[in-house]
Amino acid sequence: MRVLGLETSCDDTGVAVLDTERGLLAHKLYSQSQMHAEYGGVVPELASRDHIRKLLPLVREVLADAGTAPGDLGGVAYTMGPGLAGALLVGASIGRSLAYAWGVPAVGVHHMEGHLLAPMLEPDAPAFPFLALLVSGGHTLLTDVRAVGNYRLLGESVDDAVGEAFDKTAKLLGLGYPGGPAIAAAAAHGTPGRFRFPRPMTDRPGLDFSFSGLKTAALTATQQHALDARTIGDIAYAFQEAAVDTLVIKCARALEQTGHTRLVIAGGVGANTLLRARLEELGGKINVRVHYPRPVFCTDNGAMIAYAGALRLLAGQKEGLAFGARARWSLMDLTAP
Ligand code: KG4
Ligand code: ZN
């Protein structure tokens, strides 16, 4: 089955065509980050308007790249939530309408299920069951994954998501948006040991996370020091170390508790090279295989939505004629297709 996937939950317009037998045929991404950078973060109304401008032209380009005519498609998958309501509604209304016009089923995909299954797009796809660390701009979750749609929450952030902490700290340091890649780049020039930030909630049992204290520690450092290039690098370094360390400590704990031998990292922060290296190191020590998507499929993209949607469409799942978006939607509410 050939599936068109659409992602519009935040500030990336992503489109892909996936063939369940031949694999990914084409994918394209239009990032709005430059537009939002001026405001230091995503402006929801601007995001929705830009998705409206970009989505249909991108669909045409990707169908052409994939050598696919609408008649070749077996369904359309779009991100139904969670995310920005207006942005989601653009993908949902266009996705639902295209499917109706083409006479094929449409399916609304959970954005985090898309992230979670993105490693399946890679040659070395993980087998079920596995432990998943989902780290994005809006979520920080540790999940026990038994099968598609069978997720058990092990831990989550009680306040800021880790990606949000990267973004807020980058803003404090004047590094712009999105903050993750900017912090990582600045940290490359940082001096180890000049600052040391807390590893929140690692000194007590449990698998929940908290990142607001780390952000506050970075704020205090910016207030106590002149922000020259060297200090910015040093704070970025200490922040990244503390954030990554915290994630690695919790992953080690969750692997020990569950006995899983496979760990999947997904979501935008999963593109962080230090996090990948440290988790690989951990995996090597305790005999756990670490899987992650290539960096472009860590951050938001249409391919992961096409993949997750295709699994559900193949199982016969489809939306009615009405369409909607769910700005808030727990991954744990999903069931097997
Ligand atoms: O998954 P994603 O693209 O969008 C959401 O669903 O939120 O994640 C975006 C988040 C942003 O907070 C961004 O700063 C972070 O992922 N991010 C990174 C890196 N690349 C993106 N964080 C750390 N290191 C990176 N290299
Ligand atoms: Zn995402």
Side-chain angles (χ1 to χ4, degrees), residues 180-241:
I183 293 261
H189 309 288
T191 322
R194 180 160 166 225
F195 294 96
R196 185 178 160 85
F197 295 148
R199 275 72 173 148
M201 291 177 77
T202 52
D203 54 350
R204 50 182 134 144
L207 295 171
D208 284 338
F209 304 88
S210 162
F211 287 101
S212 73
L214 178 53
K215 181 193 66 194
T216 308
L219 172 66
T220 309
T222 61
Q223 287 165 341
Q224 290 172 346
H225 297 82
L227 281 188
D228 52 36
R230 188 173 72 93
T231 301
I232 290 172
D234 295 349
I235 294 176
Y237 182 95
F239 172 85
Q240 183 175 244
E241 283 288 326

Side-chain angles (χ1 to χ4, degrees), residues 233-255:
D234 295 349
I235 294 176
Y237 182 95
F239 172 85
Q240 183 175 244
E241 283 288 326
V244 166
D245 230 20
T246 304
L247 294 172
V248 173
I249 291 168
K250 293 294 162 99
C251 280
R253 205 176 275 177
L255 286 164

Side-chain angles (χ1 to χ4, degrees), residues 111-112 115 136 300 304:
H111 181 79
M112 297 313 290
H115 276 305
S136 71
D300 292 348
M304 67 184 196

